[in-house]
């Protein structure tokens, strides 16, 4: 019973992010466990270049209102050519929503 409750829970949340450079609102979504594992691997690969990691964050987190991804990995180069300010804005919102921004990480460390 509890197992079914957990596995059937709709626990992916979205949050709107205004992106004036793109003339639209983008939604960011919370990461699944698989997304988080992929992000950790990408962090290792791009530790020396955070700007590349931010583009990957946007690829993974940008969604429509229902949490459906907007981009695929094939969109990396084109997205990476867009405004760095816009990419950073969306990436920072994704980190915050997922509890991965520095403030959230510090709070989690203080709770242990």
């Amino acid at each position: 019973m509890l197992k079914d409750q957990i596995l059937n829970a709709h626990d992916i949340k979205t949050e709107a992010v205004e992106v004036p450079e793109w003339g639209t609102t983008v939604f960011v979504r919370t990461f699944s466990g698989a997304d988080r594992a992929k992000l950790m691997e990408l962090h290792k690969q791009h530790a020396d270049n955070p700007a590349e990691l931010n583009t990957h964050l946007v690829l993974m987190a940008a969604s429509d209102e229902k949490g459906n991804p907007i981009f695929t990995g094939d969109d990396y180069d084109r997205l990476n050519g867009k405004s760095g300010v816009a990419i950073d804005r969306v990436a920072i919102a994704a980190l915050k929503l997922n509890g991965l921004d520095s403030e959230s990480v510090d709070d989690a460390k203080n709770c242990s």
Side-chain angles (χ1 to χ4, degrees):
M1 189 89 170
L2 180 58
K3 173 181 160 180
D4 290 336
Q5 179 183 347
I6 293 168
L7 294 177
N8 292 319
H10 297 285
D11 59 353
I12 303 297
K13 295 178 175 45
T14 61
E15 183 175 288
V17 180
E18 289 294 322
V19 187
E21 297 84 0
W22 297 342
T24 192
T25 299
V26 173
F27 290 82
V28 292
R29 64 185 181 87
T30 53
F31 296 135
S32 66
D35 292 335
R36 200 172 275 253
K38 180 178 178 182
L39 181 61
M40 292 172 74
E41 185 60 36
L42 287 167
H43 185 267
K44 289 180 200 173
Q45 293 173 9
H46 300 285
D48 59 335
N49 192 345
E52 287 184 16
L53 185 59
N54 281 355
T55 301
H56 283 290
L57 272 165
V58 175
L59 285 176
M60 293 172 62
S63 70
D64 64 17
E65 289 181 68
K66 296 179 183 177
N68 299 310
I70 296 173
F71 302 110
T72 69
D74 293 336
D75 297 315
Y76 178 86
D77 289 331
R78 289 184 65 199
L79 181 61
N80 203 36
K82 303 307 293 174
S83 164
V85 171
I87 290 169
D88 289 350
R89 180 178 292 112
V90 176
I92 290 166
L95 288 171
K96 186 172 183 175
L97 180 64
N98 282 281
L100 297 171
D101 61 317
S102 59
E103 185 177 326
S104 297
V105 171
D106 289 343
D107 288 347
K109 286 179 184 175
N110 292 331
C111 288
S112 23

